[in-house]
Amino acid sequence: MKTNFNFEDGDSRPCLADLEPGQRAIVEAVRAPGALGRRLQDLGFVPGTPVSLLRRAPLGDPGVFALRGMQICLRRSETRQIRVRLEAGGPS
Amino acid sequence: MSAAAETPVLRIGLVGSPNAGKTTLFNALTGLRARIGNYPGVTVERREGALQLGDRSLRVIDLPGTYSLDAIAEDERVVTRVLDGDFEDAPDALVLVADACSLPRSLLLIAQVLRRQQPCCLALTMIDELEARHGHLDVARLEAALGIPVIPVIGHRGRGLDRLRRQLEHPEEWSRPPVQPPESAPERAAWADSILAHTLQRPPDPHRASEVLDRILLHPVLGSVIFAAVMVTFFQLIFAWAAPAMEALSGAAATLAQAIHTNLAPGLWADFLADGLVAGVGSVLVFVPQIALLFGLLYLLEDLGYMARAAFVVDRLLGRIGLEGRSFVALLSSYACAVPGIMATRGIPSPRDRLVTILVAPLMTCSARLPVYILLVSAFVPDEPVLGPLRLQGLVMLGLYLLGATSALAVAALLTRTLLPGEGLPFTMELPSYRVPTLKLWASQVWGSLSAFLRRAGTIILAVSIVLWFLLAFPRTPPEPDWTPAENSAFALENSYAGRLGHAIEPAIAPLGFDWKIGVGLIASLAAREVIVSTLAQIYAASGESGELGDALRGDIDPRTGDRVFTPATVASLLVFFVFALQCASTLAVMRRETNSWRWPAFAFGYLLALAYTASFATYRLVLAFGGAT
């Protein structure tokens, strides 16, 4: 699987953008500072929350994520800001 | 004095996230008597409705949908400002509106509102859907856990409304939460989870219909095909379906004007009634079919849940120019007419993206440009085959459409990178479950948008039409009995204020290859682009039929130089001018209404005029240089 390196802070740990359609993960941290970070947390992206990628748009971006009983579209640029722990087993 | 006059009006704010059923509840509580206005200084729409309960008068305020009180968008900021009492006194009580099927999400907002310690109750919508999806929620326990009254309601069926109304009569008696929910987002989520753990005994099953539909409608290949088909149909409907009604309305206005001229004594009063007032009212009404149709389809797609999917499918393309998926519909609608297109930008949450979309919408080739293009192209472009079935005239038309669209995208990209750099509003969009909308909700939404257009933009359009009539009709010149009526009206037009203005601006437009007659046409086309055709017809004392007028234009010789007025260079330059210039009072009026200031219509008019002038000048010079002078 390809990993999106975040070159700015050299953080190569997995982020939400790394998910394959059907794959599930647990949110570990929101890296984005300021308003974006606060909004992502207000939407429920807080540590310990399960999240899964349902599908990507026909052109590859954005993706639809299932989280706290809702489906939310996020672009790759935003999902790079959410560090996750990938669930074992890959896409189901 | 009645008791109602003694007790002050109780003000109730409806707070909830988008798609929670807030608008349905608002309509169910207040009927269709919503007062729509604007919050002072911002572009967010303000909806208020009255409600009489026994001897208590209530005012219900439908606040914009928001996911958080930590606002990042303008309409979200309005919610916090209303709760803070920034515009007027803060509401006396709040009704939180939450969808029973998405409580895990809604509780995060509920926690923020409860922390404000204003009297609150919770209206729980879509409890029927929760049960249909085999979910079970213990409402009594939820009430105990939150510490505020919880009332299940089904807005469109009226269930639970009586109980809600009884509660609304006495907000001072509502229970208050014993302890405040925590502040930080992770703790709020934990608080929400602990409440859900002992109230939501069984979470709802996934929405099967939505799962199946999304598998088809968001399929990588099929989804794109369906998206294209929906958008082509959408465009075709507002373009083609509205046309007969629009023609009927302008036909009726023309017939009425004709009847006035036949039945009233000729003179100022008849001219004003027929050519000023009736034509002006007609120019407002002519938009009604298109706007009604556009909003009818727009709200239908929105209420069904498809609009969010369409934005999702096309987001990446618009992301490249700094906009987002929801701008697409507005830009597409602008192909029919920029007026409904600009009104369709209301679905775009980011104020920056919305403004940029509004500013470039006039570049999309609207249907009012078509008569102008047809006149010039059919009169001056030879109808010769180019390649297979492609003919030169068609290719030129296609080129004009493409020039408009690519310029719109280029200007949008430029604006988002320079003048209006983003505030970094993240693209977050919920995909709601698909729903069959109720006729009542749909009708009230369409009527709301239509009446707002008539009141806010219609009055400006009417005023501008009357001013332009005045410029074209004054000063009055007595008719010469020896001349034909056509010659008389041509003479009157040349000597009118607009005619003099045309002469006055001739030095400014001469570098574009335009003479004073085109100048008058340009001034008259400020009312609406297609007016240049009838104005030129009047100047050339020809009938408005494009064939005959085309001949007149081709045969026009400049008396000073002996050359033709409409050289290929002039025609090309005029066509390019119409691609760019914002000659449309209605668009300006709607821009003013949607941005709540004259600043942005003035900016749009200015930049498009500069663009039109530069591009026309360049075109004129280029065609001249490549030997197109004759």
Side-chain angles (χ1 to χ4, degrees):
Chain A
M1 194 186 70
K2 203 177 67 199
T3 300
N4 288 284
F5 288 100
N6 186 332
F7 291 107
E8 280 153 46
D9 55 8
D11 193 343
S12 60
R13 286 174 288 179
C15 60
L16 202 54
D18 296 329
L19 260 63
E20 303 283 336
Q23 197 176 11
R24 306 188 334 148
I26 306 286
V27 175
E28 290 217 311
V30 174
R31 292 192 276 229
L36 171 58
R38 290 202 307 276
R39 172 48 52 101
L40 290 172
Q41 296 199 41
D42 282 343
L43 286 167
F45 289 96
V46 299
T49 309
V51 54
S52 62
L53 174 62
L54 298 176
R55 54 171 55 82
R56 290 199 183 280
L59 297 169
D61 200 30
V64 190
F65 296 88
L67 166 106
R68 292 190 79 85
M70 67 168 163
Q71 297 191 8
I72 183 155
C73 308
L74 294 177
R75 287 179 180 166
R76 226 175 255 278
S77 53
E78 269 97 43
T79 50
R80 283 209 190 96
Q81 304 294 332
I82 301 171
R83 222 178 58 209
V84 296
R85 188 172 72 242
L86 299 173
E87 287 217 335
S92 53
Chain B
M1 237 170 142
S2 75
E6 285 158 22
T7 42
V9 175
L10 202 58
R11 293 168 57 255
I12 309 279
L14 296 188
V15 185
S17 38
N19 307 310
K22 215 160 41 64
T23 307
T24 310
L25 183 65
F26 175 81
N27 286 342
L29 281 175
T30 63
L32 296 178
R33 299 176 304 265
R35 275 204 339 205
I36 299 173
N38 269 85
Y39 288 100
V42 292
T43 61
V44 179
E45 205 166 72
R46 174 198 177 98
R47 287 158 43 84
E48 263 191 31
L51 173 64
Q52 185 69 38
L53 295 174
D55 54 4
R56 268 207 124 144
S57 305
L58 281 78
R59 264 219 325 242
V60 184
I61 309 156
D62 185 15
L63 290 165
T66 184
Y67 289 110
S68 164
L69 290 187
D70 179 15
I72 46 176
E74 193 177 27
D75 52 348
E76 296 175 349
R77 218 147 18 228
V78 161
V79 178
T80 9
R81 288 182 67 186
V82 168
L83 296 189
D84 285 342
D86 241 19
F87 298 106
E88 48 183 350
D89 288 343
D92 301 297
L94 303 176
V95 176
L96 286 156
V97 187
D99 167 0
C101 297
S102 58
L103 261 187
R105 173 202 70 188
S106 317
L107 280 170
L108 299 179
L109 175 67
I110 292 173
Q112 283 186 321
V113 178
L114 290 182
R115 282 185 60 80
R116 303 182 55 95
Q117 303 199 300
Q118 281 161 304
C120 284
C121 74
L122 172 63
L124 205 55
T125 61
M126 300 179 212
I127 197 107
D128 51 340
E129 195 187 310
L130 180 81
E131 283 158 14
R133 281 159 61 181
H134 307 108
H136 185 72
L137 178 77
D138 190 327
V139 175
R141 276 197 190 177
L142 183 63
E143 202 165 48
L146 292 174
I148 58 169
V150 176
I151 305 112
V153 290
I154 303 171
H156 61 275
R157 297 226 185 89
R159 258 175 44 198
L161 284 178
D162 281 338
R163 244 193 89 196
L164 181 60
R165 287 198 196 95
R166 277 199 301 279
Q167 287 283 351
L168 290 180
E169 276 184 74
H170 307 290
E172 58 284 347
E173 293 168 13
W174 293 354
S175 52
R176 305 274 186 118
V179 276
Q180 269 193 32
E183 188 180 4
S184 82
E187 287 175 57
R188 259 188 290 141
W191 172 86
D193 290 340
S194 77
I195 288 184
L196 290 168
H198 74 282
T199 55
L200 189 61
Q201 281 145 352
R202 211 190 116 85
D205 296 336
H207 196 255
R208 294 264 171 257
S210 292
E211 283 192 332
V212 174
L213 281 170
D214 273 346
R215 220 168 288 148
I216 302 164
L217 296 177
L218 299 181
H219 183 271
V221 181
L222 208 52
S224 311
V225 173
I226 294 172
F227 169 79
V230 169
M231 289 304 141
V232 166
T233 314
F234 179 88
F235 174 63
Q236 188 59 31
L237 290 185
I238 49 174
F239 200 77
W241 277 18
M246 290 170 82
E247 275 161 27
L249 276 172
S250 45
T255 314
L256 186 59
Q258 195 57 51
I260 291 170
H261 277 307
T262 356
N263 292 309
L264 290 186
L268 183 59
W269 179 233
D271 281 359
F272 170 73
L273 273 185
D275 307 330
L277 196 63
V278 170
V281 172
S283 64
V284 175
L285 288 184
V286 79
F287 288 112
V288 168
Q290 211 168 45
I291 289 178
L293 203 56
L294 172 94
F295 279 108
L297 291 167
L298 218 53
Y299 283 122
L300 182 68
L301 290 176
E302 175 88 46
D303 295 348
L304 281 168
Y306 185 72
M307 218 37 132
R309 269 84 182 173
F312 170 72
V313 168
V314 80
D315 178 69
R316 182 147 200 202
L317 288 179
L318 288 135
R320 295 225 175 103
I321 54 164
L323 296 180
E324 57 136 303
R326 282 165 280 197
S327 299
F328 187 83
V329 177
L331 292 177
L332 184 79
S333 310
S334 301
Y335 262 113
C337 175
V339 169
I342 288 169
M343 291 178 80
T345 61
R346 283 184 204 167
I348 304 169
S350 149
R352 199 268 321 242
D353 292 358
R354 181 165 180 227
L355 183 59
V356 172
T357 311
I358 289 175
L359 291 176
V360 303
L363 281 167
M364 308 308 276
T365 304
C366 67
S367 50
R369 284 174 172 105
L370 211 52
V372 187
Y373 290 175
I374 289 174
L375 168 70
L376 294 174
V377 169
S378 60
F380 294 100
V381 177
D383 182 26
E384 50 193 42
V386 178
L387 186 76
L390 298 177
R391 303 184 80 81
L392 190 57
Q393 289 189 343
L395 279 183
V396 170
M397 292 290 280
L398 181 68
L400 293 168
Y401 270 77
L402 286 178
L403 181 59
T406 47
S407 312
L409 299 185
V411 171
L414 197 68
L415 284 175
T416 51
R417 279 169 180 74
T418 57
L419 267 183
L420 300 161
E423 305 174 338
L425 188 67
F427 174 75
T428 57
M429 183 178 67
E430 194 187 348
L431 290 190
S433 299
Y434 291 95
R435 287 216 165 78
V436 180
T438 61
L439 183 65
K440 206 170 145 190
L441 174 67
W442 175 80
S444 79
Q445 287 169 320
V446 176
W447 170 242
S449 298
L450 194 58
S451 63
F453 165 76
L454 287 176
R455 273 181 296 121
R456 306 297 205 75
T459 43
I460 302 176
I461 300 172
L462 180 60
V464 171
S465 312
I466 290 175
V467 168
L468 278 169
W469 167 78
F470 176 83
L471 290 178
L472 288 161
F474 281 88
R476 317 279 293 168
T477 38
E480 285 289 332
D482 305 343
W483 295 354
T484 65
E487 283 169 337
N488 265 316
S489 85
F491 181 77
L493 190 60
E494 183 173 358
N495 288 288
S496 70
Y497 291 121
R500 292 175 202 184
L501 266 175
H503 278 290
I505 64 168
E506 200 171 17
I509 57 175
L512 311 183
F514 302 164
D515 73 343
W516 71 269
K517 283 169 282 196
I518 300 177
V520 180
L522 292 181
I523 291 165
S525 73
L526 284 172
R529 292 181 177 89
E530 71 273 21
V531 173
I532 194 176
V533 176
S534 56
T535 309
L536 285 176
Q538 213 177 334
I539 297 173
Y540 284 96
S543 84
E545 299 297 320
S546 57
E548 209 178 309
L549 178 57
D551 292 341
L553 297 184
R554 268 204 302 273
D556 190 20
I557 303 291
D558 187 334
R560 284 162 298 187
T561 59
D563 293 331
R564 277 164 52 176
V565 172
F566 282 85
T567 61
T570 295
V571 173
S573 164
L574 187 56
L575 283 170
V576 168
F577 194 86
F578 268 85
V579 169
F580 292 107
L582 208 181
Q583 299 132 289
C584 180
S586 312
T587 303
L588 292 168
V590 167
M591 274 189 188
R592 142 93 192 111
R593 188 231 169 312
E594 295 297 318
T595 61
N596 217 8
S597 113
W598 280 111
R599 193 158 58 121
W600 294 113
F603 173 78
F605 186 79
Y607 99 80
L608 286 167
L609 185 63
L611 206 55
Y613 195 92
T614 318
S616 287
F617 180 74
T619 309
Y620 185 62
R621 286 286 139 196
L622 275 174
V623 180
L624 280 187
F626 287 97
T630 47

